[in-house]
Amino acid sequence: AGSWFESKSGSQILNFLRYLHPMQRIIQSWKSNPLYIRVIRLWLGVTWVYGGWNKATDKGFLDKASPHYIGEQLNGYLKSSPISSILRHMMEHAYQIGWLVMLSEFAIGFAILFGVAFELASFGGFAMAITLWLSATWNVKPYFLGSDTAYAVLWLALFLYSMQKRKITSVI
């Protein structure tokens, strides 16, 4: 009884090594998606990474003395948001919420771009977009002029696609 490698053909070993290489997995995750999903995935992934980057490079986002401070933003949403009671509790921990939002945007964006924890990331993006809609863009009238509703629908479509793909894969 030889080693595992001795029992496999050369092509099986190469396929196994290709699977282990992270870049190959990323490329395969893109190739396995239809074109319309690639477009949605690219748009959402890049947009969420940019959102995290925008917050990380904004010196005022986590600075309590700045008008750009996350706490000031949350305070502005309190007046008319249907989730104002939740936002009021978030105000007590605005600095930590700011970090959570920034890091979540990076994590969700990169996960979608790299094809890692795809279902979780797409659901996280959906949850963030719904939260932003219920707080930041709730007062945009008509509703379709606010971008967060469109983002929520795109994230939901990506999530449902990933669940359908997993269901089909598990049957095969």
Side-chain angles (χ1 to χ4, degrees), residues 59-72:
K59 291 179 174 43
F61 183 69
L62 296 172
D63 179 4
K64 291 181 181 183
S66 171
H68 298 232
Y69 177 55
I70 181 64
E72 288 300 317

Side-chain angles (χ1 to χ4, degrees), residues 143-157:
Y143 76 91
F144 54 81
L145 293 178
S147 62
D148 294 317
T149 53
Y151 282 116
V153 169
L154 288 170
W155 280 115
L156 180 60

Side-chain angles (χ1 to χ4, degrees), residues 11-30:
S11 64
Q12 288 174 314
I13 293 171
L14 283 176
N15 285 336
F16 176 73
L17 293 175
R18 280 190 198 114
Y19 177 76
L20 292 179
H21 191 274
M23 195 61 183
Q24 286 297 114
R25 279 184 280 162
I26 293 168
I27 291 168
Q28 185 55 40
S29 78
W30 282 90

Side-chain angles (χ1 to χ4, degrees), residues 52-124:
W53 180 257
N54 191 39
K55 290 168 183 62
T57 57
D58 179 356
K59 291 179 174 43
F61 183 69
L62 296 172
D63 179 4
K64 291 181 181 183
S66 171
H68 298 232
Y69 177 55
I70 181 64
E72 288 300 317
Q73 293 176 38
L74 292 172
N75 190 41
Y77 306 148
L78 288 176
K79 297 173 188 132
S80 59
S81 171
I83 59 168
S84 59
S85 60
I86 296 169
L87 297 175
R88 203 168 281 106
H89 290 295
M90 292 170 76
M91 289 283 300
E92 299 168 15
H93 308 286
Y95 182 82
Q96 292 84 353
I97 295 295
W99 272 103
L100 177 67
V101 168
M102 179 185 1
L103 294 175
S104 295
E105 285 180 337
F106 276 125
I108 290 168
F110 282 124
I112 290 300
L113 291 172
F114 296 152
V116 177
F118 201 82
E119 281 182 42
L120 179 62
S122 57
F123 184 78

